Amino acid sequence: MIKIGTALFEACEELERERGISKDVLIASLCDAMVAAYKKHMHVKEAANIEAILDEQTGEIGVFSTKVVVKTVEDPDMEISLEEAQEIDDEVEIDDEVKIEVTPDQFGRIAAQSAKQVITQRIRDAERNNILNEFLEKKGTLTTGIIQRVENRNVIVNIGKTDAIMPQREQIPREYYKPGNRIRVFVLNVKETNRLPQVIVSHAHAEIVRELFELE
């Protein structure tokens, strides 16, 4: 088993509180990452009986192989003799299953890297999903943003947790969009991407015109 300490669990609990990412999901993802790292390290593609187990009490994680106890071993990857199994647990019998730790030596650095990568990716996934859900609710409504810049005739507008795109066709002709100015926009569409969701807004939508007339 590899000692990874309690700091990881504290970080998981903090993410659960602050960003709504379940600690159980993080731990399961970490274990999956450990198994994937083990398979890569050991150059094996298929290993259905391999799993990673994390002990929250001790702060240790290890890779284990589950094998069936048999009289005669025909598949060493999946089976273990009764004599060998009883060295691990003297109460096992034929057809029982035993878990054998197979954590490679010098695997601690890989475990640490896996933990960091999993947590980082989960944070990104959670942020993307939170933004996606928030703006899916805002789709078809008016909101206020701040003009950031103009890129390739598109106006980039910050509308809270993300920057939205206002294509040229959704701009008012001859209107000057100055960075830093506040602007009312209509949320046209929200597209899911591999990174942050892409939000499309309009300043020429009929709802904007209607609101301007109401203000007048």
Side-chain angles (χ1 to χ4, degrees):
M1 298 283 277
I2 301 165
K3 187 78 173 179
I4 57 176
T6 57
L8 175 66
F9 301 108
E10 292 170 0
C12 290
E13 289 168 358
E14 184 176 348
L15 287 170
E16 189 169 37
R17 287 192 304 269
E18 295 184 357
R19 309 206 186 198
I21 310 172
S22 168
K23 184 180 78 170
D24 292 339
V25 169
L26 280 171
I27 290 174
S29 299
L30 174 58
C31 289
D32 289 344
M34 283 288 291
V35 171
Y38 171 84
K39 290 179 180 178
K40 184 177 180 180
H41 183 76
M42 300 302 291
H43 305 290
V44 292
K45 292 183 178 180
E46 298 297 330
N49 63 325
I50 298 295
E51 64 178 320
I53 299 174
L54 192 148
D55 188 331
E56 293 191 41
Q57 298 294 325
T58 64
E60 294 179 321
I61 191 169
V63 182
F64 291 80
S65 172
T66 302
K67 296 187 178 184
V68 179
V69 181
V70 295
K71 288 182 179 179
T72 304
V73 175
E74 295 180 358
D75 184 354
D77 292 332
M78 303 294 292
E79 300 171 337
I80 185 173
S81 68
L82 180 61
E83 293 76 13
E84 287 182 296
Q86 287 179 336
E87 291 178 7
I88 301 169
D89 181 354
D90 56 13
E91 294 184 0
V92 298
E93 298 176 354
I94 297 296
D95 293 332
D96 285 349
E97 290 186 343
V98 294
K99 294 185 185 298
I100 304 163
E101 185 174 2
V102 292
T103 310
D105 294 334
Q106 308 301 320
F107 206 58
R109 181 176 57 84
I110 296 174
Q113 288 177 341
S114 297
K116 182 179 179 181
Q117 290 169 357
V118 165
I119 290 175
T120 300
Q121 186 59 47
R122 284 293 169 179
I123 290 172
R124 288 175 182 164
D125 291 346
E127 288 178 338
R128 184 172 66 245
N129 289 335
N130 288 342
I131 292 172
L132 180 64
N133 292 333
E134 177 182 339
F135 286 102
L136 280 174
E137 291 178 2
K138 288 186 177 181
K139 182 178 177 180
T141 65
L142 293 167
T143 189
T144 300
I146 298 175
I147 298 172
Q148 300 297 300
R149 60 192 181 278
V150 178
E151 283 183 1
N152 301 322
R153 298 184 180 180
N154 295 324
V155 178
I156 309 302
V157 183
N158 181 269
I159 51 175
K161 292 181 180 179
T162 191
D163 287 343
I165 299 172
M166 187 201 303
Q168 187 178 21
R169 65 179 179 278
E170 300 300 337
Q171 300 167 24
I172 295 175
R174 294 180 294 281
E175 180 93 355
Y176 177 62
Y177 295 101
K178 182 180 178 182
N181 283 359
R182 296 179 71 82
I183 186 173
R184 290 287 280 172
V185 293
F186 182 84
V187 181
L188 277 177
N189 200 7
V190 182
K191 299 178 181 178
E192 187 172 2
T193 69
N194 291 332
R195 296 182 179 180
L196 292 178
Q198 185 182 77
V199 183
I200 308 298
V201 296
S202 171
H203 189 53
H205 193 273
E207 283 296 311
I208 294 287
V209 177
R210 184 182 63 79
E211 184 179 74
L212 289 174
F213 274 115
E214 289 178 354
L215 288 173
E216 289 294 329

